[in-house]
Amino acid sequence: VNSIKYRPNLLLWYTGDEPDGTSDPLNATSIAYDLIYSLDGYHPVSLVLNCQDYEWSSYTAGTDIVMQDVYMIGNNVTWSNEWNTTCTPDYGDCGCDNCFSITAGNSAAVPPNSTYYESTVPTNSGVGSYFDISDRVASFKNRLEVMGWERTKAVWTVPQAFGSAEYWMRTPTGEEWVVQSIVGINQGALGIVPWVDPNPDYIKMAASGLALSLPKLTPFFFNAASVRSNYLVGGVDIATWTTGTEILVLAANTDYVTTKVTWKDIGLQNGAGVEVVYTSGSVETTGSSSFTLGSVASAAFVTFSDA
């Protein structure tokens, strides 16, 4: 800690990589937290939890930032590629704790070149859902409130930036990496820490593109007066942040087919005067009535309220 705490590029300390998954002592994170703060009281302390709920409060007590790492891309979330066993809430390790398959018959959510047992997507297909990420972030946020920690701790998200090993048969595309990030942000995650580096250049390019848009986005995210609302239009995950007369719209298409969203779908009369501040993948605006997102495409818009 003392050797690097003055470096200008130091963002935070990372003390626990899935301490719940390896059953570290329940007070281990708090011991590390207290020691680091005795040496450096400036940089926040973080950790990531692997499980949906295994001694969550004990491990989270020893951190400022609690992160989730649902890794569902290229993974069979109901049958372990690593151990050749089934995965249920009580048994098995699929590298994605308590994750659920996409709904039966939902072919739009199937990545290209995937294969199945039958012509339509069966129940428990094993195809991971992006909504496991948003559900996990929302769950962590709710737990902070229950514990009375919502003003002293924050939730960040960890998008998968690796693959082709262990449980994961492939690496996410750049567009998939962005969708993972946005569905977390849309549930209130305040930071993104991908796992892992080095990763493919196309993921770095996707991350850089999102980072360059942040000066337009963060005034909404970090404004205490902003009011966030959430919507789901087909497979498109959307959140809006309203600050005064301005509204930020952040949308991610979790499906692998093109989807159209009208402004009325998210409580706006029209998109007149809308500013496109970020795109990933194929994005089109159709006059003042709607926008269209291609396969796992994402976009951010700034518009004005109708009031």
Side-chain angles (χ1 to χ4, degrees):
V1 171
N2 286 332
S3 65
I4 65 172
K5 66 183 181 182
Y6 294 116
R7 292 187 180 183
N9 62 341
L10 177 63
L11 176 64
L12 46 78
W13 301 107
Y14 183 61
T15 62
D17 187 63
E18 303 179 346
D20 53 341
T22 52
S23 298
D24 286 1
L26 298 184
N27 63 346
T29 60
S30 292
I31 292 172
Y33 181 89
D34 291 342
L35 176 59
I36 289 172
Y37 261 82
S38 73
L39 301 172
D40 171 34
Y42 178 73
H43 297 94
V45 173
S46 69
L47 56 78
V48 68
L49 296 181
N50 172 66
C51 300
Q52 181 186 33
D53 181 21
Y54 179 75
E55 302 291 353
W56 189 92
S57 58
S58 296
Y59 291 120
T60 303
T63 193
D64 299 307
I65 297 168
V66 57
M67 300 185 279
Q68 69 77 35
D69 62 355
V70 168
Y71 300 146
M72 37 63 65
I73 292 178
N75 189 7
N76 188 327
V77 299
T78 58
W79 180 268
S80 178
N81 291 323
E82 183 77 358
W83 307 111
N84 291 318
T85 64
T86 189
C87 292
T88 72
D90 302 311
Y91 177 84
D93 176 9
C94 281
C96 195
D97 186 56
N98 286 353
C99 293
F100 294 95
S101 303
I102 59 175
T103 55
N106 186 12
S107 59
V110 178
N113 303 319
S114 295
T115 57
Y116 294 94
Y117 310 109
E118 25 184 291
S119 57
T120 58
V121 180
T123 301
N124 294 327
S125 65
V127 179
S129 169
Y130 289 101
F131 295 109
D132 278 322
I133 299 172
S134 53
D135 289 349
R136 192 67 53 88
V137 171
S139 172
F140 280 18
K141 288 273 293 181
N142 289 339
R143 289 175 185 276
L144 289 184
E145 293 178 8
V146 169
M147 297 298 296
W149 290 338
E150 71 272 18
R151 295 179 66 85
T152 58
K153 300 180 189 293
V155 177
W156 288 19
T157 191
V158 182
Q160 177 185 343
F162 67 93
S164 303
E166 299 180 291
Y167 307 91
W168 303 276
M169 297 297 99
R170 68 178 181 87
T171 302
T173 65
E175 289 81 4
E176 290 173 324
W177 183 89
V178 171
V179 171
Q180 293 178 84
S181 301
I182 288 179
V183 297
I185 294 170
N186 282 355
Q187 290 298 327
L190 295 180
I192 301 168
V193 179
W195 187 268
V196 62
D197 192 51
N199 53 48
D201 287 343
Y202 60 80
I203 288 182
K204 285 186 170 63
M205 291 178 62
S208 294
L210 181 58
L212 289 171
S213 73
L214 290 179
K216 293 281 190 177
L217 308 183
T218 53
F220 294 90
F221 298 155
F222 300 137
N223 187 333
S226 286
V227 177
R228 176 168 57 89
S229 301
N230 290 87
Y231 305 87
L232 183 62
V233 181
V236 181
D237 185 274
I238 305 169
T240 64
W241 286 260
T242 302
T243 304
T245 60
E246 286 192 310
I247 300 174
L248 170 68
V249 179
L250 189 57
N253 186 5
T254 67
D255 285 340
Y256 292 83
V257 297
T258 299
T259 304
K260 179 180 178 180
V261 178
T262 69
W263 297 108
K264 289 185 178 181
D265 289 332
I266 56 176
L268 301 175
Q269 290 303 309
N270 60 66
V274 66
E275 178 187 4
V276 181
V277 296
Y278 172 72
T279 63
S280 169
S282 175
V283 178
E284 296 181 5
T285 55
T286 308
S288 62
S289 62
S290 64
F291 61 91
T292 301
L293 300 179
S295 169
V296 287
S298 303
F301 312 92
V302 173
T303 186
F304 294 93
S305 66
D306 300 312

